[in-house]
Amino acid sequence: MIKLYLTSSCGSCRKARKWLIDNQLEYQEINLATGLNRASLIEILSLTDGGTGDILSVQSDLYKELNLDFSKMRLEQFLKTIEAYPLLLKRPIIIDENNIQVGFNEDDIRKFLPREFREIQRSGAYSVFLKQWLESLA
């Protein structure tokens, strides 16, 4: 299952949601503004290549206001800080069992499509296939 971590005021979040809907992918939407549980945060971190640096919004006003040195934090302190201030995270964060995407990128988000769809898209027959597939669902 795809999980979409977002806030309602984020333009990139709206683009990601629209892309998932347009591609008829099932997803669970999690609003970061209402908080993020520890298990979800650990799941997100486990999918990153660069750890906390991949998901922290270092350009945000909140990050600058808190003036914390995340590079010196132990994992437990980091988790507690993000639980208290989930809007320190970049948005959107899109994950499934094997993939993560931070931010919206129309090319990169394709990794959440089933493999057969990606192969068909590459072959140039995607629009014909998608139309036939949608008709078969009706």
Side-chain angles (χ1 to χ4, degrees):
M1 167 69 75
I2 297 170
K3 295 179 184 175
L4 173 62
Y5 295 89
L6 71 149
T7 59
S8 59
S9 61
C10 168
S12 293
C13 298
R14 287 190 296 271
K15 287 179 186 177
R17 179 192 297 130
K18 181 181 181 330
W19 188 91
L20 291 167
I21 291 168
D22 289 350
N23 285 278
Q24 299 185 351
L25 296 173
E26 289 186 34
Y27 68 95
Q28 177 186 5
E29 193 169 295
I30 299 112
N31 189 335
L32 287 172
T34 60
L36 180 66
N37 68 42
R38 182 170 291 227
S40 295
L41 184 53
I42 291 171
E43 180 182 26
I44 290 168
L45 278 171
S46 74
L47 292 169
T48 65
D49 289 329
T52 60
D54 287 353
I55 61 173
L56 278 174
S57 180
V58 297
Q59 299 300 321
S60 72
D61 291 337
L62 180 58
Y63 182 89
K64 293 171 186 170
E65 178 184 318
L66 291 174
N67 195 29
L68 297 170
D69 188 352
F70 285 92
S71 66
K72 295 184 179 175
M73 278 188 188
R74 294 193 176 274
L75 179 60
E76 181 62 27
Q77 186 181 5
F78 174 80
L79 294 172
K80 285 181 179 180
T81 302
I82 298 302
E83 286 174 323
Y85 302 100
L87 296 181
L88 283 169
L89 298 177
K90 292 179 182 176
R91 311 178 271 288
I93 297 175
I94 309 160
I95 66 169
D96 65 12
E97 299 80 24
N98 303 307
N99 300 295
I100 185 168
Q101 181 172 333
V102 180
F104 177 76
N105 179 299
E106 196 157 354
D107 292 329
D108 292 343
I109 198 171
R110 291 181 58 250
K111 65 183 153 199
F112 294 100
L113 287 171
R115 176 170 286 170
E116 60 272 13
F117 282 14
R118 291 192 311 264
E119 290 170 0
I120 290 168
Q121 276 185 329
R122 274 188 232 112
S123 74
Y126 177 69
S127 59
V128 172
F129 172 80
L130 183 59
K131 181 180 177 189
Q132 291 172 348
W133 180 73
L134 290 172
E135 288 172 354
S136 74
L137 295 176

